[in-house]
Amino acid sequence: MAVANTTKTSWRLQEIVAHSSNVVCLALGKNSGRLLATGGEDCRVNIWAVSKPNCIMSLTGHNNPVECVKFNNSEEQVVAGSQSGSLRVWDLEAAKILRTLMGHKANICSLDFHPFGEYLASGSMDTNIKLWDVRRKGCVFRYKGHTQAVRCLAFSPDGKWLASASDDSTIKLWDLTAGKMITEFTAHTGAINIIQFHPNEYLLASGSSDRTIKLWDLEKFKMIGSSEGEMGPVRCLAFNLDGCCLYSGAVDSLRVYGWEPDRCFDVVSVGWGKVADLAICNHQLIGVSHKLTNVSSYVVDLTRVKKSGSVIQGVIQDDQPLTEPSPKGSTLRRNYDRPLTTCSTQRVKQSSESDRRSPEGERRSPSSEDEKESSAEIRNPEDYKEIFQPKSAISRTPPKSEPFPAPLEDGESLLPTPPPVVAMAKAKPQPSVILSTRNEPIGLNVGDFLPPARNNRPSVLGDDEALAQIRKGHDTMCVMLTSRHKNLDTIRAVWGSGDVKTSLDSAVSMKDLSIVVDILNIVNLKPSLWKLDLCTSILPQIEELLQSKYESYVQTGCTSLKLILKRFWPLISDTLTAPPSVGVDITREERHQKCKACYKQLKNLSNVVKNKADQVGRHGSAFKELQLLMAPLDY
């Protein structure tokens, strides 16, 4: 395998012309990450194998544009909702229409299959949610309560609850057995586009047009986290398969979030535009987006994405260290109890006969004659047989093949140029950036413990000489750590008085960037500690951090700069552009001087950020984001 393959974190997999008219919606098969369904204004649903150029099947039957599509968990069925409010379910293995379900009065906005049984939920612009029994062709129950379009539906992993999100900025949690609402979450200030249950714990994530992601504890029914920083509306969310982190598909980027405490682990630049759906398979995240008649798919290598590890190992807060989040498997929240049998053993509350015949227009499916008008046209027999009719039942839909291979680098590689073979035998090359997560110490070189070679013949040290060489480095390290410990004790004594500015100035005066980083890692977690005075002291230090060879230093510097720009740029801008005051106002004059100093330092930093924004990978993503935030400085 080429070395260049290992340097790609994300890449475009393919772009296809998916329909004869504009694509309206699409969905990935979440089980395999290899199937894609697209719905278009041409009233068709097309089925694709991700990364293959030809359509496998084209499903017809709708007479209006297809607004929403969804695979069931086994990827044997697909359901599509139209602009008129009708639903059609196709059996992909048999290549035929299975059911036509009617009853909604407006566009279908959301769909989800029950995880274990033949139930299906639909949400519409008519504000209603309907639960359908696909086998009996009828509506089982209707949930009312939202006042605007229902944008997303999700069944809990144990199949007992249904969560709904709406344009009315609320999330409602419904008990399927009791047939009633359990609770409502109302903290969002904009339309809610996406909700996702944690795969194991009683936890729900939601993404909104208010540019926030919120996490909800489903035992105590309260919000436990709110992540801000998205550049636009949040449309896609996906938990990692083990539940350790949450992925958010933003415009042209992927963000990785942790909670308790809230933090962003990583930002990956991906050119997918407004990504519409995400799936995870083989340590890869697949993202798909659409524009006009085209659909594009992208891959992010999750092995190269940071998914854990807080900004710091422990911070001083109220004189107590902040504990790290619980490791996987030791969560304090309940885990879902998944039944071993199918949903047929669970009793879902049935609507009464009078409810089913309500004047709202609830109807059973049309007759089989009507269903014959729908068809599943097989466009690619070879792929159809391989995926939906394999010879062995064990290799069911579709086989989980190898990860998608990364393309060869077309630009400069992040990896250092490999040295000649002879040189490699002597010492490992030093990386240009020292990663924050590594399995071996940096800076140790076997050659340092050997005397200079004579006539190119390396001599062998005796045990005593080798130990003496090692002890030299050990003594130096002990002196350095002792000095650092003493400095931190000094800072902590000042910190105890509650004067953050003096603490930071003391750290700066010690001329030790590691101490500054330790302090910043604390104050970055508590934005309320920041004041304009603090900015004037720390901005010169941030310039050094951004140019450091240590990845952890660069990350801390980026976090601090982002925080300063978001909290203080409006104040700095307004102060410097305000007309002169009448009379003497000492406070205003002092503030003006501080803002002027901050502006000058920010302008210097903008050049550093601009130069580093061309980097590839995690650093480049962080600097691109900073470049966007610093754009107003040029006006």
Side-chain angles (χ1 to χ4, degrees), residues 443-574:
L444 293 183
N445 188 333
V446 176
D448 294 342
F449 301 102
L450 300 173
R454 296 176 182 174
N455 301 324
N456 294 325
R457 293 180 183 176
S459 59
V460 180
L461 280 181
D463 289 347
D464 292 341
E465 291 172 295
L467 283 172
Q469 292 279 1
I470 294 171
R471 285 197 186 100
K472 282 182 184 177
H474 175 74
D475 291 343
T476 304
M477 179 63 74
C478 285
V479 169
M480 186 202 73
L481 290 176
T482 302
S483 171
R484 185 172 179 185
H485 186 269
K486 182 181 176 181
N487 288 340
L488 285 172
D489 275 344
T490 303
I491 300 297
R492 180 162 183 159
V494 180
W495 182 277
S497 67
D499 190 342
V500 180
K501 172 73 163 56
T502 306
S503 300
L504 192 57
D505 287 342
S506 300
V508 171
S509 67
M510 291 172 179
K511 306 292 184 185
D512 185 346
L513 265 186
S514 65
I515 305 294
V516 175
V517 168
D518 287 339
I519 298 293
L520 281 181
N521 281 334
I522 297 168
V523 295
N524 282 346
L525 290 180
K526 293 204 71 175
S528 59
L529 294 175
W530 283 82
K531 299 291 184 289
L532 197 58
D533 283 344
L534 209 61
C535 298
T536 56
S537 295
I538 204 55
L539 280 169
Q541 301 301 310
I542 290 176
E543 186 169 356
E544 288 189 54
L545 293 177
L546 295 186
Q547 299 184 80
S548 170
K549 66 178 180 179
Y550 295 103
E551 183 188 41
S552 58
Y553 285 21
V554 176
Q555 288 174 340
T556 298
C558 287
T559 303
S560 298
L561 183 54
K562 197 187 308 180
L563 196 150
I564 290 171
L565 288 166
K566 287 183 177 179
R567 287 182 67 89
F568 295 100
W569 172 246
L571 171 66
I572 294 169
S573 177
D574 292 347

Side-chain angles (χ1 to χ4, degrees), residues 163-328:
S164 60
S166 168
D167 282 355
D168 63 15
S169 306
T170 68
I171 301 166
K172 297 182 188 296
L173 199 61
W174 309 88
D175 187 318
L176 295 180
T177 307
K180 64 181 181 181
M181 189 176 79
I182 301 170
T183 191
E184 181 182 52
F185 300 124
T186 58
H188 279 293
T189 58
I192 301 167
N193 304 314
I194 182 72
I195 45 177
Q196 285 284 322
F197 281 95
H198 190 282
N200 306 310
E201 301 175 28
Y202 272 44
L203 194 65
L204 181 74
S206 59
S208 166
S209 293
D210 65 12
R211 302 185 180 186
T212 68
I213 297 166
K214 299 189 188 300
L215 286 118
W216 313 88
D217 187 312
L218 299 181
E219 281 190 283
K220 299 175 182 176
F221 299 121
K222 68 175 186 178
M223 187 173 72
I224 61 162
S226 181
S227 301
E228 300 183 7
E230 297 287 348
M231 302 302 289
V234 181
R235 292 187 175 88
C236 289
L237 293 175
F239 279 101
N240 199 56
L241 298 180
D242 62 3
C244 69
C245 63
L246 178 69
Y247 301 108
S248 166
V251 175
D252 284 331
S253 67
L254 176 75
R255 291 172 182 269
V256 190
Y257 288 108
W259 53 94
E260 297 178 309
D262 302 330
R263 57 221 189 277
C264 181
F265 293 132
D266 208 348
V267 181
V268 181
S269 179
V270 193
W272 51 29
K274 294 180 180 178
V275 62
D277 199 15
L278 303 172
I280 298 172
C281 185
N282 289 327
H283 300 292
Q284 291 180 332
L285 182 139
I286 317 302
V288 284
S289 60
H290 61 85
K291 187 174 184 180
L292 300 177
T293 61
N294 289 11
V295 170
S296 300
S297 56
Y298 293 79
V299 178
V300 178
D301 182 355
L302 296 182
T303 62
R304 297 180 58 81
V305 173
K306 190 174 181 183
K307 298 187 282 290
S308 62
S310 61
V311 178
I312 53 175
Q313 296 304 311
V315 299
I316 304 165
Q317 186 173 338
D318 299 328
D319 295 324
Q320 293 295 326
L322 178 72
T323 55
E324 280 289 283
S326 303
K328 288 179 288 185

